Amino acid sequence: MESVLLPSEIDIFIDNMTPQKLKDIATPQWLDWHQRLQRLNQEALIEVSALKEEHVKETLVTYGKVKVLTHEAILISIWKQKVLPQLLKLESSPESTFIGYSILYHEAVCVALLELVLYHPSCCDTLEDSACDLLDYAYGAASQLLSIKQIEPAAQENTVTELMRQRNNLSFDIGIRTLAIIRYLTENFDRLPFSITSQVYTTYDIPVLFTEILCIAPWIKDGKMYSGGTWKIWDNEQLGQAEAQVWLTLRQLLLDPECSKRYHLTESRRNQLAKLLPLMRPTLLDQLSPLIELNHWLCRVGVMEQSVPSSGPLLLETVLGLKENILKECGGKWKKIAEKQLPLVFNHDKQLLQEVAKKLSVAYNTELLEKLEVKDQATCAQCGKGAIQRCSKCKKSWYCSRACQVTHWPQHKEECKC
């Protein structure tokens, strides 16, 4: 598959990445930045799907720009909570919401790119203190999965209803993607600030949150599974990527030696975690065999007496630098910001809107993006079932379980050496 960016363009785009200011959102300069970021996201998807050298990821690490993606996701999250409602008060029936949608979509692009690159531990190294902001953001986005559902377009909907539906559906997709981001953070505690571990176990209680998410299974609806940004027919057995991310995170956290030191198993937590056992069906354990150890752990916890909390490590107060700086810079003047952005976000100039739409048409190539979302459609190299794990060495072959990977090894080992 052909690239959408040359290596030199990737270097220039990433080298010039800078955190944007909330007051500049929707300006022509910001729209140019939005287009560049989406093209970087497309190129990163092409590199992953075609098993090419991941130049986008390597350049983000080299220039230390992963934290800029975190800043941008938080920036748009604040904008849609604080500024967008003010805009809709100022103009309750806008003629066009295309630019408004582009702003909301910008957050989804940042999260999609973060999901891709944080698969590599080296990217976690570059997060530094912004990892705390990313965890806080990802927790909030994932928590929304407990309440939001994807909404189908109505036969007739006005521009505001359309924009709110788009906002809701993008929030759902972002929430699904942050499940993987949280997993990558939990697998790299040793590369992140010391306080991250305490936040995961204590401040945000990720084990209980992920248990609640598994119980409602938001990625399943009307016999379909949400995969790669779309709903696909589900056979009631295949394990999807989103569910696999949640289970693997729980296994990582609950079987980690740090769990006994930092995670006091209160009666409430034990009751919540007990809900996982009925969900661990044989078909699940067949497809994700590492969960057998988690199954045994949950059974032991169920018969253990309530643990006595230990003194544990000293907890340090976490300062969310990125979020706090954005809020401080805006000074709570959301209405004033909205008044300045109103003619940009809800622009009435049809010619200008057509020019912007034409400019972004390549970046919004949804057909290309659907083709590139291959990781959710991978099949097991041994049995042909849906696969959710790939060979950690060559990253080329996919498997539905450890058993299939072991069985396939005699055929795969020569290819794996290449």
Side-chain angles (χ1 to χ4, degrees), residues 89-133:
K89 286 180 181 178
L90 294 170
E91 186 161 351
S92 58
S93 301
E95 292 182 13
S96 172
T97 57
F98 176 73
I99 292 179
Y101 171 77
S102 298
I103 297 170
L104 297 174
Y105 188 62
H106 188 76
E107 181 185 4
V109 173
C110 294
V111 173
L113 195 45
L114 280 167
E115 181 193 14
L116 278 176
V117 301
L118 287 175
Y119 173 81
H120 304 275
S122 58
C123 290
C124 288
D125 288 329
T126 67
L127 283 172
E128 300 175 335
D129 289 342
S130 68
C132 299
D133 286 274

Side-chain angles (χ1 to χ4, degrees), residues 206-276:
I206 297 299
V208 165
L209 171 64
F210 274 25
T211 297
E212 293 175 348
I213 291 174
L214 277 173
C215 287
I216 67 170
W219 44 80
I220 300 296
K221 182 181 73 174
D222 300 330
K224 294 182 179 180
M225 176 189 293
Y226 191 76
S227 175
T230 59
W231 292 97
K232 302 169 184 175
I233 300 298
W234 185 50
D235 62 2
N236 291 314
E237 290 188 0
Q238 182 180 352
L239 178 64
Q241 189 75 14
E243 183 179 358
Q245 300 287 13
V246 176
W247 279 114
L248 291 172
T249 303
L250 285 170
R251 180 188 181 279
Q252 173 70 25
L253 290 176
L254 297 176
L255 300 187
D256 191 308
E258 289 295 314
C259 179
S260 59
K261 302 174 186 176
R262 299 175 181 270
Y263 197 60
H264 173 43
L265 285 172
T266 62
E267 190 64 28
S268 174
R269 283 174 172 167
R270 286 154 59 95
N271 290 338
Q272 286 294 317
L273 295 176
K275 297 177 182 178
L276 294 171

Side-chain angles (χ1 to χ4, degrees), residues 214-381:
L214 277 173
C215 287
I216 67 170
W219 44 80
I220 300 296
K221 182 181 73 174
D222 300 330
K224 294 182 179 180
M225 176 189 293
Y226 191 76
S227 175
T230 59
W231 292 97
K232 302 169 184 175
I233 300 298
W234 185 50
D235 62 2
N236 291 314
E237 290 188 0
Q238 182 180 352
L239 178 64
Q241 189 75 14
E243 183 179 358
Q245 300 287 13
V246 176
W247 279 114
L248 291 172
T249 303
L250 285 170
R251 180 188 181 279
Q252 173 70 25
L253 290 176
L254 297 176
L255 300 187
D256 191 308
E258 289 295 314
C259 179
S260 59
K261 302 174 186 176
R262 299 175 181 270
Y263 197 60
H264 173 43
L265 285 172
T266 62
E267 190 64 28
S268 174
R269 283 174 172 167
R270 286 154 59 95
N271 290 338
Q272 286 294 317
L273 295 176
K275 297 177 182 178
L276 294 171
L277 280 171
L279 302 177
M280 303 183 83
R281 301 176 296 276
T283 53
L284 171 66
L285 299 179
D286 286 343
Q287 294 178 73
L288 206 57
S289 57
L291 294 186
I292 294 174
E293 295 174 273
L294 177 60
N295 182 280
H296 293 162
W297 184 89
L298 290 168
C299 290
R300 290 198 302 271
V301 166
V303 297
M304 286 170 51
E305 295 183 2
Q306 185 169 336
S307 61
V308 178
S310 60
S311 57
L314 177 65
L315 298 181
L316 302 176
E317 183 179 356
T318 302
V319 178
L320 302 177
L322 298 181
K323 185 176 181 179
E324 291 300 322
N325 288 340
I326 294 170
L327 294 173
K328 183 178 179 181
E329 187 177 78
C330 296
K333 299 177 181 178
W334 309 115
K335 185 177 180 180
K336 186 176 181 180
I337 293 171
E339 289 173 345
K340 289 184 177 180
Q341 291 185 353
L342 183 63
L344 297 172
V345 178
F346 295 146
N347 198 297
H348 298 286
D349 188 332
K350 292 184 178 180
Q351 183 177 351
L352 177 62
L353 288 172
Q354 287 176 353
E355 291 175 359
V356 173
K358 184 177 180 180
K359 196 176 198 179
L360 295 177
S361 61
V362 175
Y364 287 9
N365 188 344
T366 53
E367 290 184 6
L368 172 63
L369 292 179
E370 288 178 3
K371 290 178 182 178
L372 294 176
E373 288 283 0
V374 295
K375 63 180 180 178
D376 291 311
Q377 304 171 18
T379 55
C380 178

